[in-house]
Amino acid sequence: MTAATTEPVTSRGESNLLGFSLPLVALLGAFLGFIAGNAAGWPLIGAIAGVVVGAGVTYLAGTSLREKRATGRWAVIGVCALLGLLVGGLGGLVGGAIVGAILGWVAYWLVRGDYRKGVPPYATAGQVLWHNAFLFICGLIFFFLIAPIMVVIPLSFNAEAFFTFTPEMLALDPEGYSLRHYRDFFSNSDWQLAMRNSLIIAPFATIIAVSLGTLAAIGLSQSHVPGRQAIMAILISPMIVPLIISATGMFFFYSAMGNWLEDNLGFSRELTGYIKVILAHAALGIPFVIITVTATLVGFDRSLTRASANLGAGPVKTFFSVQMPLILPGVISGGLFAFITSFDEVVVVLFVGAAAQKTLPWQMFIGLREQISPTILAVATILVTFSIILLTTVELLRRRSERLRGMSPG
Amino acid sequence: MTDATAQDKIAGPTPDTAIRDAERADGPMLAADGRPLKKSLASALRRQKIRALLLIAPLLIFIMFTFIIPIGQMLFRSVENQIVSETLPRTVAALDGYDSESGPPSGEVFAALTRDMVVAAELKNHTRLGSRLNYETTGLSSLFRQAGRGVDDIGEDYTDAFVDANEAWEEGETWVRLLANEGWIVASDEWAAREEAAGRGFDELPPRFVFADGVEEALPRTTEMYADFAAVLRTEDGDSPVDEEPWNIVYLSLYEDLAANPDAPAAFEGAEAELLAEAAEIAAGLEPFDYTAAFEEIDEDWLGEDVWGTIDAFSSDYTAGYFAASADRKLTPDGIQPVDEDQRVYGTLFLRTMLMSLGITVSCIALGYPVAWLLANLPLRTANVLMILVLLPFWTSLLVRTSAWKVLLQQQGVINDILVWLGLVSDSNRLIMINNQFGTIVAMTHILLPFMILPLYSVMKTIPPSYLRAAKSLGATNWTAFWRVYFPQSVPGIGAGSILVFILAIGYYITPEIVGGTKGVFISNRIAYHISTSLNWGLAAALGTILLALVLVLYWLYDRIVGIDNVKLGG
Amino acid sequence: MKLTKILMASSALTLAGSVAFAESHAMESPVAGEPMADSMTLVSWGGAYQASQQKAYVEPYLEMNPDVTITWDESSAEAVAKLRAMNEADNLTWDLVDVVASDAIRLCDEGLAMEVDHDEVLAPAPDGTDASDDFGDLIVSDCFIPQIVYSTTVGYRTDAEGWTGTPEDICALWDLENFPGQRSLERRPIGNLEWALLCDGVAKEDIYDVLETEEGQDRAFAKLDEIKDNVVWWTAGADTPQLLADGEIVMGSTYNGRLFSLIVEQDQPVEMLWDAQVFDLDGWIIPEGLPEERLNRVMDFLWFATDTQRLADQSKYISYGPARDSSAPMVSMHAELGVDMAPHMPTDPANSENTFLYNYEWWADYRDDLDAKFQAWLAQ
């Protein structure tokens, strides 16, 4: 290892790390202080204050408060928040607290050598730098992924009927916030109907897409299927035809089918309405199931089914006891895509559905078009909260079953 | 084969005996059940194929019926053009061999047009045809609407002349007695009696009109128009012609028949012959009708080259006109010509759609690859928690996410506000990040990123980390180990993600509509416009077909280069 | 002869029918007493406009006819395409559709909307004036039953920075010197080209003649070029109010009802210009091909919902002018805010000094052509 001679990295003594960390944190402090000061109008003073605070916290973290991380961090947050409050009022308090939190975290992270945790001890300085830069980039990408949600959640508590951060909201004035959009969602029968319809249509469409799709994917994965490429192209076509064309084209078929169902089988108009939308959404979700499940089956070991057959299991038992558990992850993620396709689809349902089948996206679409209403954001926030709870529960259950099965946590 | 030479203790073939038999090379190799192995294998293969097809069949049938056939019909509209020949059958026939360079067509064509327009106006089809042809030549919509109002009166003078001479001509019954077959009159009477008896809710159609023998030869033009009159009355109003006065054009036709053939009354008998002979005398005193002048009076544009060139160019049942329009070309009587420069838009839009979708795909790879790598290499419990962050955007509707990007990116938006607050950007020079291509790419990348991360993750999960370590321990640098060992194994994931993202990006139109401004909209926006606003479904279908063809070509190329079996998505 | 007897009998029947009809004319709808369907699907725009319809005539109608159920479908924006698809698929699920006038003309042209005799299906004014005279010129198509007059006009922020003076007329849109900042205009040629020519010095009555020529069109686009870089193009009616509220734009065009809600209901620092407002109409059409019982229900509802009182009531909830002349004097206070509505009506004499009604027939001809040009121009 060429960089084994680089001094601050190889020797991990306290004093050396302090010497390495101090200027870095001071520099960071100067930068953050400059920006914060700039906002208040005194960039230079801000930078100097930043250097002082940064150097101070690093020194303390490396010496007397080394083992009391929480105390040290809270102290620096407090100091910075106080500075911010003096300069910029309530907004300054929040900004200062954020700056303090960053400085405190970085100081301890550097001075205690935590930045090397993810890499092997023999890694070079360059590798350590790259590793941390990589994590930083990934963090930014995750931030990019959830940034819109972070905007949506506060706006859903807006007291006004616009998608705008009002001055009251920015000043954290309670008058700028209200629950009126949540009240609207829970009291408005249109939203309730839309929610109910979405919760009826999406699961049924998913079940149809997943069951037919999985069956066909198993068929497609057999070794000798005549016209395989063409069949594959046909099956994934709902994904590649522009939605608006699909919507109009499907309208004709489903109208004819609806008429037939009503005339010959005596179905009510409402029931046929649901059947039409469910089938249309199932067709749109199928490509996702096909692609995921065939991909899982590519890596499937065929000798397992043969072994099962050898041991006397019929094809059905083989499928459910041997094949299904193994391809389940693919089926689940295909199902997830299919569910989302139905749950978030607005173009086709506008054509195929009638007003009695309006789904959440439909209601949102007319909400955005006719009269901007942050109720849409309230709905989104509720769905996000719901899905966080759901996904967290699933993850906790997974960990529990892992523990019960005596597996080491992966 | 230790006992190959021993005597067989078992009757019947065993694998050993079969092979030994084969080694003797006398007969065909036999399977365990004694059939020739080749046949047995073939039947097993056939069974396997049938089983596979049976598994695929339900879905294939489902997709064929609920998707392929309806969409195919929709796309087929891109060449369909029967509306012209169905609405103006006589005109199209009369136009055969017409050359628009030689000025307006002959009076014959206008005579045919008059007859077609009378029928079309009764059926309210003329405005529909006008809107159709207006896509090709501006102004035809109102030209047809005016003509529809005007043609009713064509021939009014002749009606008046006949009615003045004998009021009987005003009665529907006179015409029926003159033209109808005896059997039809009886049937019509019976129908009328049933109608009277049934009262409200009677919906049986009157009998189809039948001419008496020889009438059609004697009065060809009259009977042709009268047949249309009776048919329209029957299907539109459910009425019998017995109690209705015919259209003016029928009187005009009668005049023309009698003028051309003064002996026509000879074909009739009794009172009808007298009536007709009297009419023939009146006809002899009337001037022939100038159809061209009548249309000139409705609107002089009817004599223009444009109108007739367009009708002529679009008179066939199937047209390449919509595809020509999709390629910024125009179908004219002189063949396909480029449209004016200030109307060319589709070429730009197709190109832009492709380039921007490519840009979105590339940025999805750039952002998705590191995240997928991180997720695949972290311990499962950490990775699953981070995976929630990837899946969360899925639960916020596309519409909400797009609106949120608007709030973030606009000039008075969150990002600009923060930058101004920090003093990095001055208040008067706020960054323009929305209503342009940048806004579209950011919002679409965000929306489609999970479609890249999930397939990448599932592929990377299968690459053993030991490969990288092995490469490094053999002396590879970090870069070489990644580029030569890890990256090639992750290509199927990139492929699957790219094809998903690219195809989905091409078809999106709501997001570009909201954040795209003028330079960030896609071809799908135009398709949507033609479907829902301009009602030019033929053009929408042609644009859609081209888009679909482009995607299929890409799909085929992808299959050739990467192989569709290598597509991995989740799981 | 038998034929003539039937003929006479049936004409006598019609005569008797029309006498009876004339007697009941003033009070009841022409279909009163006939069998009617007991449910009806109304198609409208959603939002505040649909709410005004609900309160002004749907709720009173339901009170009078408690056994009827009415479903709303907020699909007016897709009405033309959906009606065409329904017609082709023979699956008509709508009973009465609210559309803008240009869509009504289009639907009528395509044979998708039913032609009506306005004097027969609509109630006369209280003083006995025939419906067709009461609605007057607003009946722009045989299929169209007008409800309201709205206008597309311009709103501006009162706190915009760097402005000298306040905008007085429509040409302020082009005055980047005195009124710098972003503007918003609708992403379609209709309205914008007229304004461009108006501000390029073309007299109002000559606009469509000029626009018909190639040079006139180039002239309009050249005028729009002057502000092209400063324009945000909107497509949904909710866009401009949101942009104004954000301060993202300093002035922009939208429907006058949206500006009313922004200014009066939401209390935003915005003012509106009435100059050169483009009048447009919104109203009902009856889809072609309704079965008799459903049609009777629609006729019964229409008779009630478009009478003088009901149209005047609608203006209590939204600042759009009633389409009947006889309703205009009855416009009163906003039902919840207690604001006098008359000064907020586009048809109010003080507001309608300089207006124009856009030429539907002209646009029916030139829309396809100019739209292609407009899109190409935008894409440049």
Side-chain angles (χ1 to χ4, degrees):
Chain A
M1 291 284 129
T2 47
T5 51
T6 319
E7 204 223 353
V9 180
T10 44
S11 71
R12 308 189 62 188
E14 269 172 40
S15 56
N16 276 337
L17 267 184
L18 193 58
F20 156 75
S21 312
L22 203 66
L24 280 181
V25 182
L27 203 67
L28 182 71
F31 175 68
L32 293 175
F34 179 83
I35 290 176
N38 196 16
W42 308 308
L44 213 60
I45 298 177
I48 293 167
V51 170
V52 174
V53 175
V57 68
T58 317
Y59 180 76
L60 288 175
T63 52
S64 55
L65 288 174
R66 185 174 168 80
E67 298 311 318
K68 295 177 191 152
R69 189 155 64 161
T71 323
R73 278 180 19 190
W74 280 113
V76 69
I77 289 174
V79 169
C80 290
L82 198 66
L83 280 176
L85 183 67
L86 288 177
V87 178
L90 203 58
L93 179 83
V94 176
I98 293 171
V99 169
I102 295 174
L103 279 180
W105 189 85
V106 172
Y108 276 96
W109 182 64
L110 282 175
V111 92
R112 285 161 59 115
D114 289 351
Y115 61 93
R116 294 191 61 104
K117 262 191 183 161
V119 289
Y122 51 78
T124 61
Q127 282 170 336
V128 173
L129 188 66
W130 164 243
H131 174 80
N132 286 310
F134 178 77
L135 287 182
F136 184 69
I137 291 170
C138 286
L140 285 183
I141 298 171
F142 278 115
F143 181 73
F144 171 76
L145 271 171
I146 57 163
I149 298 174
M150 290 170 60
V151 169
V152 162
I153 292 174
L155 274 183
S156 71
F157 295 100
N158 195 341
E160 284 191 26
F162 291 103
F163 288 6
T164 311
F165 284 103
T166 56
E168 293 85 37
M169 291 182 82
L170 294 177
L172 301 177
D173 182 349
E175 297 220 335
Y177 295 85
S178 87
L179 289 172
R180 62 183 268 207
H181 307 300
Y182 289 85
R183 271 197 297 278
D184 185 35
F185 173 70
F186 286 109
S187 61
N188 187 329
S189 61
D190 280 341
W191 281 106
Q192 294 301 307
L193 174 72
M195 186 79 187
R196 201 168 52 237
N197 281 338
S198 273
L199 289 179
I200 292 173
I201 290 166
F204 276 111
T206 311
I207 290 170
I208 295 176
V210 167
S211 48
L212 286 180
T214 310
L215 217 58
I218 291 170
L220 274 173
S221 69
Q222 313 272 324
S223 39
H224 302 282
V225 184
R228 196 192 147 122
Q229 308 290 26
I231 292 176
M232 192 76 177
I234 287 173
L235 294 186
I236 67 165
S237 62
M239 196 174 82
I240 58 185
V241 179
L243 265 184
I244 184 77
I245 298 258
S246 307
T248 22
M250 284 163 118
F251 177 84
F252 294 109
F253 170 78
Y254 286 105
S255 298
M257 191 195 76
N259 286 351
W260 187 84
L261 286 178
E262 279 168 42
D263 296 345
N264 295 354
L265 301 182
F267 285 15
S268 72
R269 206 203 272 184
E270 196 172 3
L271 181 61
T272 48
Y274 281 110
I275 294 178
K276 288 188 313 197
V277 180
I278 288 172
L279 290 182
H281 278 177
L284 292 181
I286 275 167
F288 296 102
V289 180
I290 290 283
I291 292 180
T292 24
V293 181
T294 39
T296 333
L297 283 166
V298 168
F300 182 73
D301 187 354
R302 219 136 273 292
S303 56
L304 291 174
T305 51
R306 278 186 226 121
S308 152
N310 230 354
L311 293 169
V316 176
K317 178 146 178 81
T318 307
F319 174 72
F320 280 106
S321 319
V322 178
Q323 203 164 12
M324 192 64 187
L326 285 168
I327 61 170
L328 199 61
V331 175
I332 288 176
S333 60
L336 185 73
F337 279 123
F339 186 85
I340 290 301
T341 307
S342 167
F343 206 70
D344 201 12
E345 200 289 320
V346 65
V347 182
V348 169
V349 74
L350 270 174
F351 265 83
V352 175
Q357 287 86 43
K358 72 171 154 204
T359 56
L360 274 182
W362 173 330
Q363 182 69 21
M364 289 181 175
F365 188 66
I366 54 177
L368 272 181
R369 189 177 57 199
E370 277 320 305
Q371 209 152 35
I372 289 221
S373 141
T375 308
I376 293 165
L377 306 181
V379 178
T381 309
I382 291 171
L383 284 179
V384 164
T385 320
F386 175 74
S387 67
I388 289 180
I389 294 172
L390 187 83
L391 293 171
T392 317
T393 317
V394 170
E395 171 63 10
L396 290 179
L397 283 178
R398 195 191 62 80
R399 288 187 189 175
R400 181 166 168 272
S401 81
E402 231 170 35
R403 256 203 324 278
L404 290 182
R405 280 190 288 172
M407 288 161 81
S408 63
Chain B
M1 272 167 267
T2 47
D3 58 349
T5 51
Q7 277 292 17
D8 283 335
K9 292 280 177 341
I10 309 158
T14 65
D16 286 343
T17 54
I19 289 164
R20 198 179 55 210
D21 287 348
E23 275 171 351
R24 284 198 200 117
D26 293 342
M29 194 186 275
L30 293 180
D33 57 358
R35 291 190 303 153
L37 187 60
K38 214 172 182 180
K39 244 190 192 160
S40 176
L41 269 179
S43 76
L45 194 64
R46 202 164 49 241
R47 268 204 309 280
Q48 204 183 353
K49 273 185 189 173
I50 289 171
R51 200 175 56 216
L53 286 180
L54 278 180
L55 284 170
I56 302 169
L59 184 64
L60 198 61
I61 292 168
F62 179 76
I63 291 284
M64 282 307 267
F65 276 97
T66 65
F67 198 80
I68 302 289
I69 294 175
I71 303 307
Q73 281 169 346
M74 186 68 206
L75 295 180
F76 192 58
R77 286 166 193 266
S78 59
V79 291
E80 276 179 330
N81 192 44
Q82 287 96 334
I83 183 167
V84 182
S85 59
E86 274 170 11
T87 317
L88 307 174
R90 299 176 183 86
T91 316
V92 167
L95 266 181
D96 195 27
Y98 165 72
D99 178 11
S100 68
E101 309 252 309
S102 57
S106 63
E108 256 324 284
V109 174
F110 280 103
L113 179 66
T114 311
R115 288 171 166 76
D116 286 334
M117 284 296 286
V118 169
V119 178
E122 282 296 327
L123 296 171
K124 300 189 195 92
N125 279 342
H126 65 300
T127 44
R128 203 179 275 214
L129 178 64
S131 329
R132 160 69 187 96
L133 290 176
N134 203 62
Y135 300 137
E136 315 300 337
T137 302
T138 296
L140 283 186
S141 177
S142 62
L143 218 51
F144 272 83
R145 208 176 306 126
Q146 284 163 4
R149 268 180 276 184
V151 285
D152 272 0
D153 302 335
I154 289 185
E156 206 173 10
D157 295 344
Y158 298 82
T159 312
D160 293 346
F162 284 122
V163 172
D164 285 349
N166 187 344
E167 285 197 354
W169 283 115
E170 223 172 4
E171 301 296 329
E173 213 192 325
T174 314
W175 287 90
V176 168
R177 259 184 278 128
L178 183 70
L179 301 174
N181 173 292
E182 282 294 324
W184 180 85
I185 295 183
V186 173
S188 174
D189 278 348
E190 283 167 7
W191 171 82
R194 279 200 299 282
E195 185 191 30
E196 195 183 16
R200 170 176 294 283
F202 182 76
D203 56 0
E204 184 190 331
L205 288 182
R208 205 178 288 276
F209 192 82
V210 184
F211 287 105
D213 292 339
V215 178
E216 283 171 283
E217 288 79 40
L219 303 170
R221 287 182 162 237
T222 315
T223 48
E224 187 198 334
M225 266 339 277
Y226 196 81
D228 277 345
F229 165 70
V232 168
L233 211 56
R234 176 174 180 269
T235 51
E236 290 301 293
D237 307 333
D239 270 343
S240 157
V242 172
D243 23 358
E244 299 286 332
E245 183 189 0
W247 305 325
N248 288 324
I249 188 73
V250 178
Y251 293 87
L252 177 53
S253 304
L254 179 65
Y255 155 76
E256 284 173 349
D257 277 333
L258 292 173
N261 177 15
D263 297 334
F268 295 82
E269 287 170 2
E272 281 73 40
E274 270 174 48
L275 189 72
L276 212 55
E278 182 195 33
E281 273 172 43
I282 305 162
L286 295 171
E287 292 291 313
F289 187 73
D290 186 349
Y291 290 97
T292 313
F295 271 90
E296 192 176 2
E297 196 180 312
I298 292 172
D299 196 315
E300 58 186 16
D301 284 350
W302 274 109
L303 304 190
E305 274 173 32
D306 277 5
V307 175
W308 288 100
T310 309
I311 296 178
D312 190 32
F314 286 89
S315 58
S316 57
D317 280 354
Y318 296 95
T319 179
Y322 292 122
F323 279 101
S326 315
D328 292 330
R329 300 283 188 282
K330 198 174 173 165
L331 193 62
T332 65
D334 313 324
I336 292 176
Q337 311 272 349
V339 295
D340 294 344
E341 208 158 312
D342 60 358
Q343 295 195 7
R344 283 179 210 166
V345 60
Y346 298 115
T348 326
L349 281 180
F350 271 116
L351 191 67
R352 180 194 290 163
T353 306
M354 289 293 151
L355 288 179
M356 286 185 61
S357 299
L358 201 67
I360 290 160
T361 313
V362 170
S363 45
C364 276
I365 296 174
L367 297 185
Y369 201 92
V371 169
W373 192 89
L374 186 73
L375 288 175
N377 287 287
L378 280 177
L380 199 56
R381 50 195 311 159
T382 327
N384 279 350
V385 172
L386 287 178
M387 193 54 115
I388 294 179
L389 295 185
V390 176
L391 292 177
L392 264 193
F394 261 158
W395 293 90
T396 15
S397 155
L398 179 110
L399 295 164
V400 171
R401 277 185 276 164
T402 311
S403 310
W405 277 112
K406 216 168 159 175
V407 174
L408 279 169
L409 294 177
Q410 62 187 1
Q411 280 189 283
Q412 306 291 326
V414 175
I415 293 177
N416 262 314
D417 278 350
I418 291 176
L419 291 178
V420 169
W421 184 69
L422 294 178
L424 299 179
V425 167
S426 78
D427 200 11
S428 52
N429 285 322
R430 287 170 174 254
L431 304 178
I432 300 171
M433 296 182 288
I434 202 167
N435 294 325
N436 54 19
Q437 302 189 346
F438 179 81
T440 310
I441 289 183
V442 169
M444 299 265 289
T445 302
H446 177 259
I447 285 161
L448 295 172
L449 194 51
F451 287 95
M452 178 64 81
I453 293 178
L454 292 178
L456 267 176
Y457 170 71
S458 72
V459 168
M460 287 179 174
K461 204 72 195 141
T462 64
I463 305 174
S466 53
Y467 286 10
L468 264 188
R469 274 185 236 131
K472 282 190 203 163
S473 74
L474 290 172
T477 62
N478 279 343
W479 172 249
T480 321
F482 168 75
W483 185 245
R484 301 286 296 278
V485 176
Y486 194 87
F487 183 78
Q489 296 185 78
S490 65
V491 164
I494 297 182
S498 305
I499 198 160
L500 265 178
V501 168
F502 188 82
I503 288 175
L504 289 174
I506 277 184
Y508 268 41
Y509 78 96
I510 290 179
T511 306
E513 182 84 24
I514 297 176
V515 296
T518 59
K519 298 226 162 65
V521 295
F522 283 15
I523 192 73
S524 307
N525 295 67
R526 288 315 284 164
I527 297 180
Y529 169 83
H530 284 306
I531 293 263
S532 52
T533 309
S534 81
L535 283 201
N536 195 349
W537 288 7
L539 183 54
L543 292 169
T545 310
I546 294 176
L547 195 60
L548 193 60
L550 282 173
V551 173
L552 285 177
V553 167
L554 287 171
Y555 176 81
W556 178 79
L557 279 177
Y558 178 85
D559 190 30
R560 293 297 300 270
I561 297 166
V562 185
I564 202 71
D565 291 347
N566 274 332
V567 168
K568 279 206 159 198
L569 183 118
Chain C
M1 194 174 173
K2 207 175 171 186
L3 270 175
T4 32
K5 258 192 230 156
I6 297 167
L7 210 76
M8 282 172 64
S10 68
S11 66
L13 209 84
T14 349
L15 206 70
S18 61
V19 170
F21 168 70
E23 279 166 1
S24 67
H25 201 75
M27 306 93 73
E28 281 185 309
S29 79
V31 291
E34 310 245 350
M36 292 183 204
D38 53 8
S39 70
M40 188 162 55
T41 303
L42 302 183
V43 183
S44 186
W45 300 90
Y49 179 64
Q50 186 176 310
S52 76
Q53 294 178 310
Q54 170 83 13
K55 287 177 198 144
Y57 31 78
V58 172
E59 278 170 10
Y61 184 80
L62 290 177
E63 242 163 68
M64 288 161 49
N65 301 278
D67 48 343
V68 176
T69 49
I70 286 183
T71 317
W72 285 104
D73 188 334
E74 292 92 349
S75 298
S76 282
E78 293 86 35
V80 192
K82 272 194 93 166
L83 274 173
R84 190 198 229 192
M86 284 183 186
N87 180 279
E88 283 188 27
D90 197 18
N91 179 27
L92 191 59
T93 54
W94 292 350
D95 294 297
L96 193 57
V97 187
D98 189 294
V99 290
V100 292
S102 56
D103 282 347
I105 293 175
R106 179 144 270 236
L107 287 165
C108 215
D109 278 359
E110 292 263 336
L112 300 171
M114 197 174 104
E115 287 183 13
V116 293
D117 180 344
H118 291 80
D119 286 337
E120 209 167 285
V121 303
L122 303 178
D127 63 0
T129 315
D130 276 344
S132 56
D133 291 329
D134 203 13
F135 284 105
D137 295 343
L138 304 188
I139 299 176
V140 292
S141 153
D142 291 337
C143 306
F144 184 59
I145 301 154
Q147 289 171 81
I148 52 135
V149 179
Y150 69 96
S151 76
T152 306
T153 181
V154 171
Y156 58 89
R157 273 191 82 97
T158 49
D159 59 354
E161 283 168 29
W163 278 19
T164 38
T166 48
E168 297 286 330
D169 59 20
I170 191 72
C171 299
L173 276 174
W174 273 267
D175 191 350
L176 288 170
E177 211 160 288
N178 288 324
F179 311 113
Q182 296 282 103
R183 289 101 165 86
S184 77
L185 291 173
E186 188 170 7
R187 197 189 302 177
R188 63 172 195 174
I190 299 172
N192 295 330
L193 293 184
E194 285 103 320
W195 278 341
L197 283 184
L198 205 62
C199 291
D200 204 29
V202 177
K204 200 162 54 174
E205 53 276 12
D206 298 337
I207 283 181
Y208 289 103
D209 293 335
V210 174
L211 212 48
E212 213 164 303
T213 62
E214 195 85 5
E215 303 79 58
Q217 293 169 9
D218 291 347
R219 193 170 157 191
F221 282 116
K223 186 73 185 170
L224 281 172
D225 265 331
E226 291 175 15
I227 51 168
K228 192 178 177 187
D229 292 340
N230 290 288
V231 173
V232 177
W233 300 95
W234 60 269
T235 49
D239 288 347
T240 293
Q242 170 72 45
L243 290 167
L244 277 172
D246 278 350
E248 184 71 8
I249 55 167
V250 292
M251 59 170 89
S253 71
T254 188
Y255 311 132
N256 71 292
R258 294 289 158 72
L259 287 172
F260 171 80
S261 128
L262 189 69
I263 298 166
V264 180
E265 290 169 11
Q266 314 284 347
D267 211 17
Q268 297 287 318
V270 172
E271 281 293 329
M272 67 195 288
L273 272 180
W274 287 105
D275 184 60
Q277 49 167 327
V278 185
F279 276 159
D280 201 344
L281 307 168
D282 192 271
W284 300 112
I285 58 106
I286 307 169
E288 180 76 53
L290 278 181
E292 194 171 341
E293 292 195 357
R294 278 167 67 187
L295 184 60
N296 284 341
R297 174 57 69 196
V298 168
M299 290 297 189
D300 192 58
F301 174 76
L302 262 184
W303 180 270
F304 175 77
T306 58
D307 72 11
T308 302
Q309 182 62 47
R310 254 38 70 178
L311 289 185
D313 286 351
Q314 193 177 359
S315 63
K316 283 186 201 161
Y317 304 99
I318 199 149
S319 64
Y320 293 135
R324 278 181 186 262
D325 280 346
S326 59
S327 302
M330 299 160 76
V331 171
S332 57
M333 297 285 189
H334 190 284
E336 283 138 28
L337 302 172
V339 183
D340 190 9
M341 291 301 277
H344 296 284
M345 292 292 166
T347 44
D348 190 69
N351 300 334
S352 53
E353 275 169 18
N354 183 24
T355 64
F356 63 97
L357 184 63
Y358 87 72
N359 188 335
Y360 298 104
E361 192 133 328
W362 191 90
W363 275 111
D365 278 346
Y366 285 86
R367 177 174 44 199
D368 300 320
D369 195 36
L370 278 178
D371 191 75
K373 279 195 180 151
F374 187 72
Q375 291 302 329
W377 175 78
L378 281 183
Q380 272 163 26

